[in-house]
Amino acid sequence: MTTTTLAPPYWTSDVVLADGGTVLIRPITPADGPALVAFHEQLSPDTVYARFMSAKPSLSPAEVERFTHVDNDARVALVAELGDRLIGVGRYDRTDDDRQAEVAFVVADEHQGRGIG
């Protein structure tokens, strides 16, 4: 398991989207597990496939743990939050070659095209 370390406070910010709306961007925390599960369950099958390259109707407890426990160095995840709801997640996981990383973004279907990703 990755040890979660605090991200710097300047990683949290309200941002203005392409359509003029505003969302909060902030680092993911272990407490976001239930919100991440709820977010994932609202995604369309096409959006889930685009993110995971396979069907994944739900996240396993191990995946929730992995996705919400990051070290904010080699593994970073930021969420987009609108009110009390997650509407997007962007993350990277550095590979064994410290100059490369796997990067993934997923945005709630009804918020795609707003400039969140």
Side-chain angles (χ1 to χ4, degrees), residues 2-3 8 16 22 30 42 46 49 53 58-59 62-63 66-67 75 82-83 85-86 92 102 109:
T2 300
T3 301
V16 178
T22 304
Q42 298 298 313
D46 287 341
Y49 188 85
M53 300 303 171
S58 62
L59 298 174
E63 288 170 322
R66 176 163 170 70
F67 292 155
R75 297 185 60 245
L82 185 59
R85 187 172 158 237
L86 295 186
Y92 76 77
E102 290 184 18
D109 292 83

Side-chain angles (χ1 to χ4, degrees), residues 86-106:
L86 295 186
I87 62 167
V89 180
R91 63 183 321 109
Y92 76 77
D93 287 64
R94 214 178 283 153
T95 64
D96 291 336
D97 176 350
D98 281 349
R99 297 173 297 166
Q100 297 181 12
E102 290 184 18
V103 177
F105 296 92
V106 62

Side-chain angles (χ1 to χ4, degrees), residues 10-97:
Y10 58 83
W11 285 11
T12 299
S13 182
D14 287 316
V15 297
V16 178
L17 304 177
D19 66 2
T22 304
V23 298
L24 176 68
I25 303 294
R26 64 170 178 78
I28 203 164
T29 69
D32 288 319
L36 184 64
V37 169
F39 168 71
H40 182 84
E41 289 173 351
Q42 298 298 313
L43 298 174
S44 70
D46 287 341
T47 295
V48 171
Y49 188 85
R51 164 58 179 92
F52 292 99
M53 300 303 171
S54 67
K56 183 176 280 303
S58 62
L59 298 174
S60 72
E63 288 170 322
V64 173
E65 174 90 6
R66 176 163 170 70
F67 292 155
T68 59
H69 290 75
V70 297
D71 65 7
N72 291 310
D73 179 37
R75 297 185 60 245
V76 172
L78 301 175
V79 297
E81 196 173 49
L82 185 59
D84 60 353
R85 187 172 158 237
L86 295 186
I87 62 167
V89 180
R91 63 183 321 109
Y92 76 77
D93 287 64
R94 214 178 283 153
T95 64
D96 291 336
D97 176 350

